[in-house]
Amino acid sequence: MENFDYAHRNTGRTSLPGATFSASLVRGAWSKELDEARKDAMRREIPVADDESLQYLLCTAVASGAKRILEIGTAVGLSATALLQALPAARITTIESDENFYTEAKRNFVKFGVSERVQAYLGDAGEILAMMDGKFDFVFLDGPKAQYIAYLPEIKRMLVSGGVLFADDVLLYGWVSGEVPCPAKRQSIVRKIREYLLAVTDDAAWITSVVNIGDGVALSVKR
């Protein structure tokens, strides 16, 4: 996950129309202890999924019956923990490039009693994905946004037919959709996200819907 504007993101403010009302309807499907850990991470400006996006992630994963999950962008492990709390039979393979986040995530997996169901990797996701040969039925893509398009071929290779790819932050404060003017220094990342969105919508191997939840979600199902 990129280290930019997380103070903005985690305050719950968003550029997307209707988000304030829909976010007010969220009743978190995760434990009270995990909720406290999430609030603490937000106070420290750690990249944590907002409540609305996490709720949608859990709804999607539970509805799909996910059992073999790949997460790209562990941060401090709280979204992965929420997934494992919601899916008692699931296991997660997760990748994080930041050593401090990775270390804290490992502690959190132990703290919340899910460590035996987690395989955590520290390193560059592009390099790690290329060496993996597993099969997954659900992928949570929440790592460096500019790399989504680069990760896509490896994700497609490992995702089973009927599997779900959940890509977070694909509208990025409304910059990607054009609802909000994009700062000049963010135009490169916006171009990369648009490349990703075109790839998953133009490729007949995917059925994709882009939803205005949080900072935007692209939900793709592999045929």
Side-chain angles (χ1 to χ4, degrees), residues 32 37 55 62 77 109 159 164 180 195 204:
K32 180 179 179 180
Q55 184 85 338
V62 171
F109 294 144
L159 191 65
V164 175
V180 176
E195 286 180 32

Side-chain angles (χ1 to χ4, degrees), residues 100 121 186:
N100 291 330
Y121 290 102
R186 301 303 181 197

Side-chain angles (χ1 to χ4, degrees), residues 133-154:
D133 58 4
K135 292 294 182 180
F136 300 94
D137 53 23
F138 194 95
V139 177
F140 179 33
L141 180 54
D142 197 26
K145 313 310 169 195
Q147 299 302 314
Y148 280 16
I149 185 64
Y151 299 153
L152 187 59
E154 298 297 346

